[in-house]
Amino acid sequence: MNNHFLRQFRIKIWAACLIAATGVVFWAGAACADLTLGAGETMTLTAGETLTIDGNLTIPATATLDASAGSVTINVSGNWSNAGTFTPGNSTVVLNGTGQQNIFGTNTFGNLTATASAARTIGFEEDKTQTINGVATFTGASGELLSLRTVNSSGAVLNDSSQATIDFKGLQSTSYLDVRDHIATSSNFAVTLAINPANSTDSGNTSGWFSSVAFKTLMSVADDNGGLVANGDTLTYTITVQNTGGDNSTGSVLMQVIPSGTSYVTDSTTLNG
């Protein structure tokens, strides 16, 4: 008696990449040209994978690029456009083109790298925030600066007081930059601003990049009830902030997240003791 088995699966072909309907990615070491995910599709990269795109990467609305498996590298020589979902994990996105490259949409990266051996520009879409959870590497070379600029949705460089924002939550490796129309901020209390990249130029309309104001912080927690912490105890947080830079700080704001499982005691905040 003959038994016949038929297994069927679908694949989508994007340039040199084969993307199975299950989200599994197959390719034989070839780089993709422009890669645009399909609406509703999920592209999942496995741990240790390197995806190289010799062109633009586009994640449309309802599409997902999942790079959270660990030690994933995504090399892009064109523009990065995200209107859908990018799950970065600890992945590294490398903008390895030789000319202007742009980042469109609001993104969260694990690690983000852009370097230049010859002068070039990285454009960030106006009024958008790019969050970098891990290491941010922006480096040019002597006499060949890497310019960070704000661009519109078409990729044209702006010079009209528009700004883009980078939220640095981890370490920064920055040097030989020309920065204009950019805000550097951090939602991680442990990160010290300003960035102050070495051998770099402030071309105007920047915040958090070049000020010589620098903050050193120290936080301690004490249980007002003494002994081991127990349910119902009151904890006192003491936060000391020192400006170790050469300039006066104006308009500074101190923020501290209340830990989960606790509640703020009304009117308990004091300043300078």
Side-chain angles (χ1 to χ4, degrees):
M1 179 177 181
N2 293 325
N3 293 319
H4 297 277
F5 298 93
L6 176 63
R7 295 189 66 187
Q8 293 180 317
F9 67 93
R10 296 178 298 114
I11 63 172
K12 290 182 176 292
I13 301 178
W14 285 319
C17 296
L18 303 181
I19 315 299
T22 58
V24 178
V25 183
F26 303 91
W27 66 89
C32 299
D34 290 344
L35 175 59
T36 300
L37 277 65
E41 296 288 346
T42 295
M43 179 177 180
T44 302
L45 303 178
T46 57
E49 296 284 3
T50 296
L51 173 62
T52 297
I53 302 169
D54 288 338
N56 301 322
L57 171 64
T58 302
I59 308 171
T62 74
T64 298
L65 175 57
D66 187 347
S68 63
S71 300
V72 171
T73 300
I74 304 173
N75 299 312
V76 180
S77 64
N79 296 327
W80 174 286
S81 303
N82 178 23
T85 300
F86 174 55
T87 308
N90 193 39
S91 65
T92 299
V93 173
V94 180
L95 303 178
N96 62 352
T98 57
Q100 179 174 332
Q101 292 183 261
N102 303 310
I103 297 177
F104 297 111
T106 297
N107 297 272
T108 297
F109 297 99
N111 306 288
L112 180 62
T113 296
T115 61
S117 57
R120 70 186 189 104
T121 296
I122 303 296
F124 297 79
E125 188 174 2
E126 62 178 322
D127 299 325
K128 304 293 186 184
T129 296
Q130 313 305 323
T131 300
I132 307 172
N133 290 330
V135 179
T137 302
F138 298 116
T139 58
S142 179
E144 304 290 348
L145 301 186
L146 178 66
S147 295
L148 305 186
R149 293 292 188 263
T150 296
V151 298
N152 63 18
S153 58
S154 299
V157 174
L158 301 175
N159 190 13
D160 60 0
S161 77
S162 299
Q163 289 180 305
T165 300
I166 302 178
D167 182 356
F168 294 95
K169 297 180 71 174
L171 299 175
Q172 312 101 42
S173 176
T174 56
S175 62
Y176 294 104
L177 302 179
D178 182 336
V179 186
R180 189 183 74 204
D181 302 328
H182 260 265
I183 299 171
T185 187
S186 180
S187 55
N188 180 359
F189 186 75
V191 173
T192 299
L193 297 176
I195 302 299
N196 287 319
N199 303 301
S200 297
T201 299
D202 181 358
S203 287
N205 195 28
T206 64
S207 175
W209 277 96
F210 293 97
S211 170
S212 64
V213 172
F215 293 106
K216 179 180 180 181
T217 61
L218 176 66
M219 182 173 66
S220 62
V221 184
D223 187 346
D224 293 358
N225 304 89
L228 298 177
V229 176
N231 189 32
D233 284 1
T234 299
L235 304 178
T236 296
Y237 280 70
T238 301
I239 303 173
T240 303
V241 181
Q242 179 185 5
N243 176 12
T244 60
D247 292 342
N248 292 328
S249 173
T250 59
S252 300
V253 178
L254 173 64
M255 295 183 294
Q256 174 62 41
V257 176
I258 303 299
S260 60
T262 67
S263 59
Y264 173 68
V265 177
T266 304
D267 297 328
S268 63
T269 299
T270 60
L271 179 63
N272 295 330

